[in-house]
Amino acid sequence: MARLAVIDGVVYAPSDAKISVYDRGFLYGDSVFETLRTYGGRAFAVDEHLDRLERSLAALAIALPASRAVLTAELMDALLRADNTESYARLMVTRGQGALGLDPALAHAATRVLLVEPLTMPPLASYLRGIRVRCIRTVRASDAAHSAKLANYLASALALRDARQAGADEALVVDRAGLVIEGTTSNVFAVVGDRLVTPAVEAGILDGITRHHVIATARELGMDVELASLAPAALAESREVFITSTLREILPVSEVDGHRVGAGARGPVTEALHRAFRRRVGAPWVFGGDP
Ligand SMILES: Cc1ncc(COP(=O)(O)O)c(C=O)c1O
C-alpha cells in the first residue's frame, strides 16, 4: 500500500512533495480539485471528473494545466505505481505562483498536484445503522463560484466541527432560504412517499458524480426522482435519508437534528439503491444484510 504525490508530472514520496508558499492555492484558496476512486483498481468515472474539473477551472478562468490525455496518463501511472487494492486520488489545480497580491493576473502558469492514497471507507456499522446529522446554516465560498469544486472548504469544515460538537457525525448545509441543500462533502437524498427527492443543481450544490449515478439507478429501478430541497423538519420526517459521495457511495442517515429518521437504521430503499449502485460500478456487495 502506498501514498504518493505527483506535482506538475513529477512523482514524489509524500514527505518530499512541496509547493511554494507563493502558490495562490495556499495564499488565497485560488484552486479547484476533484476526488476520484478506483473500483477493481481502475479509476472510476474519469471522464465525468475531468469534465467537472474543466467546468470548475472555467468558472475561475484558469486554463487546463495539461491536456486531458496527459492528466489521465498521470493518474493511471500514479495508480499503477501506488498499487493499492483500491485507491483514493485527489487531483488539484491551483492558479499557480506569483507575486503577493490578489490580482489573478499575477500568476502565469497553473500548478497541478495529484495525491494517491489507499482508499478507506466508513465502517460497516455506519452503513447498517446510519449516521447522525445536524443541519447547519452557512454560506460557502463555492456559493459565489457557480458550483465549482473550489478548494476552500472552510465554512463546511466549521459546520462539520459544530455538528460534531453537537454529537452528530456529519453536517448538512442549510442555505439562506432555510433549506437543506447538501452535505459538507456529499449530496443529500430523501425518500418521501415513493419518490426520491434531492436538491436541483440550481440550489447551489456541487453536481455530484455519485448523485448522477444514483439518480440514474433509481430511474432504472422504476422510482420517480424529484429535484427539490427540503427544510430540516421535512427531511427528518422523510421515510429514509442518505448522503452520496465518491468516497462513501450511499451512506444512510438515521438521525436529523436529534430526530430519528424512519426506523433509525438503513432503510429498504437506501439498501436497494446501494445494491444496484454496486452492480452498476461492477463491485461486490460488502455492506451487510443478505449476501
Ligand atoms: C460539497 C460537495 N457536494 C457533493 C459531493 C459529492 O460529489 P461526488 O459524488 O462527485 O464525490 C462532494 C464531494 O466531495 C462535495 O464536496
Side-chain angles (χ1 to χ4, degrees):
M1 303 241 277
R3 299 166 60 226
L4 53 87
V6 188
I7 304 176
D8 291 333
V10 181
V11 181
Y12 297 89
S15 53
D16 297 330
K18 305 258 184 335
I19 288 284
S20 165
V21 291
Y22 294 98
D23 190 283
R24 293 177 61 92
F26 173 70
L27 289 174
Y28 306 116
D30 194 354
S31 68
V32 299
F33 74 108
E34 280 298 313
T35 296
L36 298 91
R37 63 157 290 171
T38 61
Y39 283 105
R42 295 161 58 128
F44 176 68
V46 176
D47 279 339
E48 288 163 79
H49 283 284
L50 289 180
D51 287 347
R52 189 169 65 188
L53 181 71
E54 287 203 50
R55 290 200 302 276
S56 297
L57 288 169
L60 272 63
I62 298 177
L64 195 66
S67 69
R68 285 174 73 115
V70 167
L71 294 177
T72 306
E74 287 176 1
L75 173 66
M76 301 306 162
D77 177 65
L79 292 172
L80 268 180
R81 282 174 192 261
D83 197 26
N84 299 315
T85 312
E86 298 292 6
S87 288
Y88 155 108
R90 191 181 214 267
L91 175 57
M92 291 165 268
V93 178
T94 82
R95 198 180 299 275
Q97 322 177 16
L100 281 180
L102 200 55
D103 185 356
L106 290 167
H108 298 293
T111 306
R112 64 185 186 280
V113 177
L114 174 64
L115 303 179
V116 172
E117 316 246 330
L119 177 80
T120 51
M121 291 192 73
L124 176 61
S126 298
Y127 288 91
L128 295 172
R129 292 207 286 268
I131 59 164
R132 292 155 302 179
V133 301
R134 285 270 157 185
C135 300
I136 296 188
R137 196 180 281 244
T138 188
V139 177
R140 301 151 313 156
S142 57
D143 296 332
H146 308 290
S147 302
K149 197 161 162 62
L150 283 196
N152 186 332
Y153 270 59
L154 182 60
S156 297
L158 297 178
L160 180 61
R161 184 197 58 179
D162 290 351
R164 293 258 160 98
Q165 281 177 355
D169 305 298
E170 196 28 285
L172 296 184
V173 174
V174 176
D175 70 3
R176 287 192 177 90
L179 300 174
V180 178
I181 53 171
E182 62 184 330
T184 54
T185 57
S186 59
N187 292 113
V188 65
F189 288 77
V191 180
V192 180
D194 50 12
R195 282 167 300 132
L196 190 61
V197 179
T198 192
V201 171
E202 293 71 36
I205 61 167
L206 183 79
D207 195 2
I209 288 163
T210 319
R211 173 182 176 276
H212 272 252
H213 286 271
V214 169
I215 289 175
T217 303
R219 290 192 170 132
E220 277 167 21
L221 293 180
M223 286 190 81
D224 284 337
V225 180
E226 182 186 341
L227 301 182
S229 305
L230 300 174
L235 190 71
E237 280 164 21
S238 307
R239 280 171 53 200
E240 299 178 30
V241 175
F242 60 85
I243 59 171
T244 66
S245 77
T246 296
L247 297 180
R248 289 174 287 185
E249 299 185 346
I250 297 177
L251 189 60
V253 170
S254 53
E255 206 180 283
V256 174
D257 293 338
H259 300 284
R260 202 178 73 176
V261 176
R266 179 173 64 198
V269 176
T270 306
E271 181 173 341
L273 278 169
H274 197 181
R275 284 179 184 270
F277 176 87
R278 294 288 287 185
R279 287 195 293 276
R280 187 181 179 91
V281 298
W285 177 250
V286 290
F287 296 101
D290 294 336

